[in-house]
Amino acid sequence: MAKLLTVLGVLLVLHMATSTKLVCHMTNWAQYRPGAGKFTSDNIDPFLCTHIIYNLATINSFNQISPIEWNDEQQFVRLNGHKNANPALKTLLSVGGTLNGISPFITMVSTATSRAAFIKSAISYLRTHNFDGLNLAWEYPAHNGSPGTDKMRFTMLVKELVKAFEDDAKDTRKTQLLLSATVAGFIPTINAAYEVRDISAQLDFINVMTYDFHGHWEAATGHNSPLYRSSVDTGSHVHHNINSSIAHWIALGAPAEKLLLGVATYGRTYRLTTSANGLGAPSNGPADAGPYTRTAGFWSYYEVCEFISFATEHWIPEQEVPYSTAGSSWVGYDNLHSHSAKVEWLTDKNLGGAHVWTLDMDDFVGTFCAGGAYPLVNALRRTMGFPPKPTTTPAPTTTRDPVAEFCRGRPDGLYANEADKTTYFQCFQGNTYLHRCQPGLIYWDSCKCCNWP
Ligand SMILES: *[C@@H]1O[C@H](CO)[C@@H](O)[C@H](O)[C@H]1NC(C)=O
């Protein structure tokens, strides 16, 4: 009986891992961050996520999908090369953004001819660059210069894309391309932008942006991505939380299993104006920009790690998220604890999984937070019930492998590799994991991190 239960347990875990998605975003602007903040396709761990979305491509004046950065197509090769290591990994190209402040979707969706041109170009481009699908990241239909009719035109685009993807799969005998969308979390925006039932029936999965609920544009501190409303919320702010946003998507007809909860690897910052420094404290703008993301208003998780080494950390019990404050700076962010509360919540609601904004704002090398590489996303993986990743060292063969044996009998933790300072060992339950520092960096045991030589 005990054996049968074990087998059932294993089957349940396997089932969960195959039906649950952990979709991770990367951005092509993270390559311009200085020093240890620089992130490219080479920093991707092929076994971390089920899907990776490359942000961002655009739409040119011929209504064709087109790259933005000079090296996007080189990064596509490196990104999709990770599928050699993990053939189960899926990649999608995200299209969106603005040109001169205007979404390129507005012109493209306006006629059947221009939509057809886009769809044809997208299929050809995705196939050429070995992507598994397309992600629509229009912020938002019927907003920011887009007329109200774009709500309906967005639905038409989604339907026509899926039809064309079906035809392409038949013609090419390849696996059908996936279609997802990154969509609003704010209730008024959802109402104006989407025919929820119609688009949900067509899309493979839906990335709800359940973050940016509060930020420095408000006159008092509030959390970026709270699970529930807080007692200081009044008026429409009572809906600025995950619980309200996802409930609204479901009420409008989105199947829970297609909804992915947006989880943040960043926090939003404020400049306090009085000695009050709790939730709802008066503020007038953002704290200083982070040294790596260099944009006032938010800090990556690894920048938050540097801040909390001298700041005071607090937990907001009613919202299940942390904030930290020091001097006049205040940041509401996510950590392992809040992510685990969110995983419990999304599991309870039978959502399809999570999408992470972004890989490049987690401590992707393990330089800053003393939690190994990708501390947030690795913890998400574990709490979501995915099986352990394959070890990065080969299995011991008949001849004793000193690297694979390194952790035998050692406590869990990080260790220097005396034979190669550009790598280091992570010991976990007696198993040895060999990690590599980012190019140019070496491992320092004094900080248990990679840093300049
Ligand atoms: C979560 O949302 C549901 C549905 O809108 C609501 O009934 C419930 O009270 C909310 N929970 C909390 C703790 O706010």
Side-chain angles (χ1 to χ4, degrees):
M1 191 61 194
K3 251 188 190 147
L4 179 62
L5 283 177
T6 312
V7 171
L8 281 175
V10 168
L11 287 176
L12 282 174
V13 169
L14 288 178
H15 173 73
M16 181 173 175
T18 50
S19 61
T20 305
K21 293 183 176 70
L22 178 55
V23 174
C24 300
H25 294 271
M26 65 166 284
T27 60
N28 56 3
W29 55 90
Q31 63 177 314
Y32 300 117
R33 293 182 187 141
K38 177 186 163 98
F39 181 100
T40 69
S41 296
D42 291 336
N43 294 104
I44 283 172
D45 172 346
F47 296 99
L48 190 58
C49 310
T50 58
H51 299 65
I52 292 174
I53 301 186
Y54 187 100
N55 294 268
L56 196 63
T58 188
I59 303 167
N60 67 20
S61 52
F62 305 102
N63 297 304
Q64 290 168 333
I65 196 167
S66 60
I68 293 177
E69 291 298 337
W70 61 280
N71 63 348
D72 278 334
E73 294 183 356
Q74 293 159 38
Q75 290 222 61
F76 296 163
V77 173
R78 311 301 288 256
L79 168 64
N80 290 316
H82 290 301
K83 292 191 277 190
N84 296 327
N86 178 11
L89 179 67
K90 302 285 181 200
T91 60
L92 294 91
L93 181 59
S94 190
V95 57
T98 56
L99 294 170
N100 305 319
I102 298 290
S103 167
F105 274 98
I106 300 172
T107 314
M108 185 271 281
V109 297
S110 65
T111 70
T113 314
S114 48
R115 290 195 301 272
F118 171 76
I119 293 167
K120 186 164 180 255
S121 77
I123 292 173
S124 151
Y125 199 73
L126 296 169
R127 290 301 191 195
T128 301
H129 295 285
N130 196 22
F131 278 98
D132 302 292
L134 181 70
N135 181 62
L136 304 171
W138 181 359
E139 298 182 16
Y140 305 92
H143 288 79
N144 310 328
S146 151
T149 44
D150 280 354
K151 181 179 188 171
M152 182 193 71
R153 287 174 176 161
F154 182 59
T155 310
M156 292 164 80
L157 173 69
V158 166
K159 287 186 176 167
E160 290 162 7
L161 272 165
V162 171
K163 175 74 175 61
F165 285 2
E166 285 168 2
D167 292 346
D168 167 71
K170 277 185 211 129
D171 294 349
T172 61
R173 296 167 187 250
K174 289 182 179 165
T175 307
Q176 187 174 325
L177 293 164
L178 298 168
L179 185 65
S180 63
T182 299
V183 299
F186 280 112
I187 290 175
T189 312
I190 299 167
N191 290 342
Y194 312 111
E195 297 180 315
V196 169
R197 195 175 296 275
D198 292 344
I199 62 166
S200 302
Q202 302 284 324
L203 294 166
D204 290 292
F205 54 93
I206 301 166
N207 309 305
V208 188
M209 290 190 275
T210 41
Y211 35 71
D212 301 338
F213 283 119
H214 295 280
H216 68 268
W217 52 87
E218 294 168 1
T221 59
H223 198 278
N224 180 46
S225 184
L227 200 36
Y228 302 105
R229 62 171 289 192
S230 91
S231 47
V232 304
D233 287 333
T234 54
S236 65
H237 276 187
V238 301
H239 298 304
H240 288 210
N241 60 75
I242 289 171
N243 186 55
S244 295
S245 173
I246 298 290
H248 195 67
W249 273 95
I250 293 173
L252 291 179
E257 66 272 14
K258 285 199 180 178
L259 295 175
L260 305 189
L261 186 67
V263 290
T265 56
Y266 67 96
R268 288 207 164 269
T269 71
Y270 296 82
R271 174 75 61 208
L272 302 168
T273 52
T274 71
S275 60
N277 62 5
L279 190 67
S283 61
N284 69 344
D288 291 341
Y292 299 95
T293 53
R294 300 185 293 189
T295 311
F298 72 91
W299 291 337
S300 65
Y301 179 64
Y302 60 84
E303 289 167 331
V304 170
C305 282
E306 292 203 315
F307 181 69
I308 57 184
S309 66
F310 59 86
T312 316
E313 223 177 339
H314 300 267
W315 181 253
I316 312 170
E318 58 184 358
Q319 301 194 292
E320 299 205 45
V321 281
Y323 70 88
S324 280
T325 179
S328 63
S329 301
W330 194 100
V331 60
Y333 55 99
D334 271 276
N335 59 14
L336 271 61
H337 188 181
S338 63
H339 275 183
S340 127
K342 289 172 183 182
V343 169
E344 199 175 306
W345 187 90
L346 78 86
T347 308
D348 183 57
K349 299 284 187 265
N350 295 311
L351 299 195
H355 76 104
V356 180
W357 186 266
T358 59
L359 283 177
D360 47 73
M361 292 192 288
D362 194 357
D363 186 15
F364 52 94
V365 175
T367 322
F368 296 89
C369 305
Y374 291 108
L376 287 179
V377 187
N378 268 305
L380 270 178
R381 237 191 98 79
R382 280 195 301 275
T383 43
M384 287 174 75
F386 287 100
K389 294 185 297 187
T391 60
T392 48
T393 50
T397 51
T398 43
T399 54
R400 213 167 144 267
D401 179 343
V403 169
E405 303 272 32
F406 179 84
C407 289
R408 187 158 297 171
R410 284 181 208 254
D412 290 356
L414 303 182
Y415 295 89
N417 177 10
E418 298 304 340
D420 177 8
K421 289 200 180 300
T422 66
T423 66
Y424 60 96
F425 294 118
Q426 180 184 13
C427 296
F428 183 63
Q429 299 183 348
N431 293 317
T432 306
Y433 300 83
L434 183 68
H435 296 288
R436 187 166 293 281
C437 295
Q438 266 203 304
L441 305 185
I442 62 166
Y443 179 79
W444 293 86
D445 209 44
S446 51
C447 62
K448 302 274 178 205
C449 70
C450 297
N451 211 332
W452 303 108

